[in-house]
Amino acid sequence: MKNPVGPVLRMGDEVDQIVAAIEDGNPDIEIEVIDRGAYVRIQGEDRVVLTEASLQAYLGTEYRIRSLENLMSSFAGRAITASDSITWESAAIRKAATAETEGAAL
């Protein structure tokens, strides 16, 4: 994987459901799960998105995306947070988006 991005989660009861939510929310991206015993690295190339709605589909309607902070010990890439989602993206994606925006302004 050239530009892996995504969360690193401490092991817990919800990890399998979070992995499933990430896989479902990113159908066009190959998601790799690396189990290190005490933690799990979840990664995709260039961009991975996790929404509160996809988490709730697996963990119930009471689950909030901010609850992920308790499990996420680290991450790879740049994390962009919103009230209902987290997006991890690589520097390459950010540069491409910036260049596209600047080109459109000319």
Side-chain angles (χ1 to χ4, degrees):
M1 194 172 294
K2 188 175 177 184
N3 297 310
V5 298
V8 176
L9 305 178
R10 289 191 314 264
M11 283 306 251
D13 296 335
E14 298 130 338
V15 169
D16 289 337
Q17 291 90 348
I18 295 168
V19 169
I22 290 172
E23 289 173 336
D24 281 357
N26 298 274
D28 298 333
I29 299 172
E30 179 183 339
I31 301 297
E32 182 178 16
V33 180
I34 303 167
D35 185 342
R36 299 288 190 206
Y39 68 91
V40 173
R41 180 176 296 277
I42 306 164
Q43 59 189 27
E45 189 164 341
D46 286 323
R47 187 169 192 210
V48 173
V49 177
L50 178 61
T51 65
E52 189 169 81
S54 63
L55 281 172
Q56 289 176 343
Y58 286 90
L59 294 165
T61 58
E62 298 299 316
Y63 199 87
R64 299 290 176 247
I65 196 134
R66 67 180 174 263
S67 300
L68 196 64
E69 292 175 9
N70 297 326
L71 293 173
M72 189 168 60
S73 58
S74 185
F75 58 88
R78 180 177 182 197
I80 302 164
T81 59
S83 62
D84 63 348
S85 68
I86 301 174
T87 302
W88 296 273
E89 62 183 25
S90 68
I93 290 292
R94 178 55 72 192
K95 285 180 187 177
T98 301
E100 187 176 299
T101 302
E102 288 174 357
L106 294 178

